Every structure is written in C-alpha cells, then in structure tokens.
Amino acid sequence: MSTTRTTTRTLWVSLRAVVAFTVITGVLYTAVVTGIGQLALPSQANGSLIRDDEGEVVGSSLIGQPFVDADGEPLPAYFQPRPSAAGDGYDGGASSGSNYGPESPELVAAIEERRAQVADLEGIAVEDVPADAVTASASGLDPHISPEYAAIQVDRVAEERGLAASVVEDLVAAHTTVPPAGIGGSPVVNVVELNVALDGLAG
C-alpha cells in the first residue's frame, strides 16, 4: 500500500471520528441533558424565573436586584438586599466582588457610610446593623440576606404597606431557607422572592 493511500485512509478515519464524536457529544448528549433538565427540573433549567400574579417575569430567584427609586434611594416599602459590587449593582454581565482587602481604606469608608445609612433608614443604632447589610457578596449577585437583616426591616416595610408586623414576619419566615440538618451554611432570606410575595399580597 502506498504512502499516499495510507495517509488518505488515516485522514478519512480521523474525519469520521471527529464527525461521530461531534454528533455524540455536541448534539446527542446536549439534547439528552437538556431534555432531562426540562422534564425533571423545568424551573431551574430555565433560570429559576420569578413571575408576578399576571405571569410577567420580574426576576430570578438566583440573582438579586436593587429596590431603589430613580435617584438610587431605597424604596421603603421593600426589603433591601445587601450591597452589590457587580457593575452598577447586580449586573449579571459584571459579576464580581469589590476586590478590596479587609484593611482597604476605601472598603472601611464604604462600610461605615453604609452602616450609617442603614441605621438611619431602619431607625436603629449603628452597632445593631448586621454585617451583610454593609458588605457585598463575592459574586455581587447573591439574592439572599440574613434573617437578622430581614428582621430589622420588618417594621419599616409593614408600616409603609399598612400591614401588621406579624403578617410581614410570616412572609419572611416563608421565604427563609434553612440548610438541611444545619449543614452547609446559615439560614438565608431570598429578598427578591420576598418582595414579589409582598406585592402579590398587596394585589
């Protein structure tokens, strides 16, 4: 067999292998995994989208969002999330923390400013402001806050919406996730889901 024929045969075998594995791993595997996801976990597979009472998509349970007015001031009728260093805030295209070190003067100043703002908004002492109210998550997209941060916001939200504090507390409890058997972290409250539930209650 000549060298040319051997080379041609080798190239043909290689080409068929590339095509076969492209179809198997790039098409069939993707189709199977996507199908399983859509059948078994449709919500998660489609981005864990949150819809309002009218069926409109208002967010994702996986990504936080700001609840502020046109001037960037907190909307008092809504629970406020933790700060975000992702772009202008909760920007999915710029997921990031601030990258400041714990002794950075800029970070220290930002934390002190946020602590004073939160204390003023909630009508509490500066020393009672929880850490997650003034520090951003590593991704800048975390939709969760601690139950402690949620608790100091209950009275404000209840008053703004004309609701009993107990009603708002019940909603906070309903949107608090507790790790199974206490393993894997601390309890957290999903702010986006909680605020959507509040709007649904008002409607």
Side-chain angles (χ1 to χ4, degrees):
M1 182 179 294
S2 67
T3 302
T4 301
R5 290 184 62 187
T6 301
T7 301
T8 301
R9 178 181 177 83
T10 301
L11 290 175
W12 176 237
V13 171
S14 300
L15 178 60
R16 285 188 298 176
V18 168
V19 171
F21 281 105
T22 297
V23 171
I24 293 171
T25 61
V27 179
L28 296 179
Y29 175 78
T30 302
V32 170
V33 171
T34 299
I36 292 174
Q38 291 294 332
L39 291 173
L41 302 166
S43 175
Q44 293 87 337
N46 290 296
S48 299
L49 300 178
I50 302 174
R51 300 179 184 274
D52 60 18
D53 291 341
E54 298 179 354
E56 295 294 324
V57 174
V58 294
S60 167
S61 63
L62 302 177
I63 300 177
Q65 57 183 269
F67 292 90
V68 296
D69 61 20
D71 297 322
E73 296 298 321
L75 292 169
Y78 290 91
F79 281 85
Q80 294 301 306
R82 64 189 305 178
S84 170
D88 292 329
Y90 295 100
D91 181 355
S95 175
S96 175
S98 67
N99 291 326
Y100 288 134
E103 297 182 2
S104 165
E106 290 87 352
L107 179 61
V108 172
I111 288 176
E112 291 304 317
E113 180 180 0
R114 292 168 184 163
R115 183 174 285 122
Q117 291 172 342
V118 172
D120 182 62
L121 178 64
E122 309 303 345
I124 61 174
V126 171
E127 57 268 22
D128 292 332
V129 175
D132 61 312
V134 296
T135 56
S137 66
S139 69
L141 305 178
D142 188 358
H144 302 102
I145 60 174
S146 66
E148 292 75 20
Y149 186 21
I152 68 171
Q153 302 187 62
V154 167
D155 288 341
R156 166 177 54 80
V157 172
E159 181 178 355
E160 286 292 327
R161 291 179 177 265
L163 299 170
S166 60
V167 172
V168 179
E169 288 173 346
D170 287 344
L171 274 181
V172 171
H175 292 86
T176 299
T177 302
V178 180
I183 299 174
S186 303
V188 292
V189 181
N190 191 303
V191 178
V192 181
E193 292 181 338
L194 175 58
N195 282 334
V196 172
L198 279 167
D199 284 343
L201 186 66

